[in-house]
Amino acid sequence: MRDPILLTPGPLSTSLRTKSAMLTDWGSWDQSFNQLTASVCRDLLEIVNGGASHVCVPLQGSGTFAVEAAIGTLLPRDGKLLVLANGAYGKRMAQAVEIMGRQVVLSHSADDVAPDAAELARILQSDPAITHVGVIHCETSVGILNPLRELAAVVAEAGRALIVDAMSSFGALPIDLRTLQAEAVIASANKCLEGVPGMGFVLVQRERLLASRGNSHSLSMDLLAQYEYMQKTGQWRFTPPTHVVAALRAALDQYIEQGGQPARLARYRNNCERLLAGMQRSGFRSLLPPELQAPIIATFHAPRHPGYDFSRFYEAVRDKGFVLYPGKLTQIETFRVGCIGAIDHAEIDQAVAAIAQAIDELGWSTEWQAETGAFA
Ligand SMILES: *Cc1c(COP(=O)(O)O)cnc(C)c1O
C-alpha cells in the first residue's frame, strides 16, 4: 500500500528521494551541514534571480513564522503596512501586524476578485503614512492568482516597499527580482519546491535588511540577527531543522534536474487542467474563472445534497488513498483539491475517479443531480 496522496497545499506528497534525504543525523556545528544550508540559500535566490540584490534568510517553523518575521523585521515600529487581502492569508498577514502593535490597513476584495492596481494607486496616494504594501501572490484560500507585476509596479511608482507572500507560488510561478521591485519575497520548503515542512525563508533586499536594526519585536524572529549570525558562523542562530534542510537540498536537486521553474509550472498546469476537466465531467463546478485560477489548488462547489458533510466526504476519499482539503469560504460550501506536490496526471486522474466513486457510494449523486444536472 502506498502512502495516501496529499492533494493539499502543503504538507504535500514528496518523492522517495526527498524523504530518503532525511535518514542522516546532521550535527548543527558540522561544516558539511553549514555548506548544505549555504547551497540551499544560493539556489533559492537563483530561482528568482535575486543573487545581486537580495539575500536569503532561512527561518525555522512554518510559512507563517517567516511572514511574521519578515514583517517584524522590515516594517519599522512607526511604519504602516497596507495589506491587499482577498482571502485568509491576506487577513492573517494583517493580524500579525496588529498583534505586533504596529499600524496596518486592509484593502479587501472578494475571494474571487483580484486586487485592483488602480485602487491600490488611489489608496497609496491618499495615505502617505503607508510605508509598505503586503501582497499575496497566489491566495491559497481559493487558489486565485493575484496580479503581482501590476501591483508591484504601482508600489514602486509610489515609492513604497513591497512584501510578497509567495508561499504557494514560489518555484512554480515565475518571479524575477531583476525586474520586480520587492523588498522581500517569502516562501517555505513544503509547497511548490516539494520539500518537507519545518522551515520558511525570506529573500530580502540586502540594503533594507541591514537598515532594519531595532525593528524586530522578537528575539527568535529577527531576520537581521539570523542573517548576521549566519554570515559570521555559517550556522543557524538556534537549533536548525537539519532533516528539513537536507530534504530541501534533495528536493532542489530534483527541481533543477527536472528543468527548474518552467518545468514545474508545466507539470502543475497539466495537473490543474486535468483536474478541472475531470471534475467537470463528474458534475462539479469550480469556483474561479480560468483566467484567475492559479495552477496550485482548485476550489469546487460542494455537492448540494442535503446529506453533504465534508468530513464524511473526506473519509470516503481518504479510504481510496487521496487527501482532500476543506474549503475556506464562509458564505458557500466548498472543498479544495491541490495540484502541487510530487504527483502528475496519473495521480490526478486516479483522484478524480476516487472522488466520483466516493460521491456515488455516499449516495450524493441521485435524484437532485438528475434535477439540476450539476453539483452547484
Ligand atoms: C501555506 C501558506 C502560508 C503559510 O502557511 P503555514 O501553514 O504557516 O505554512 C502563507 N501564505 C500562503 C499564501 C500560503 O499558501
Side-chain angles (χ1 to χ4, degrees), residues 9-10 62-65 67 89 92 136-141 165-168 188 190-191:
S62 87
T64 304
F65 291 56
V67 173
Y89 292 103
R92 188 185 292 179
I136 315 295
H137 190 191
C138 166
E139 179 43 91
T140 324
S141 327
D165 173 349
M167 208 70 63
S168 63
S188 69
N190 62 273
K191 294 201 177 181

Side-chain angles (χ1 to χ4, degrees), residues 86 111 113-115 135-140 142-148 151 168-169 173-174 265 269 288-297:
N86 54 347
D111 294 279
V113 174
V135 169
I136 315 295
H137 190 191
C138 166
E139 179 43 91
T140 324
V142 294
I144 193 170
L145 180 60
N146 287 329
L148 178 58
L151 299 170
S168 63
S169 58
L173 297 173
L265 178 59
R269 254 202 192 125
L288 292 174
E291 67 276 11
L292 290 179
Q293 176 69 62
I296 306 295
I297 188 166

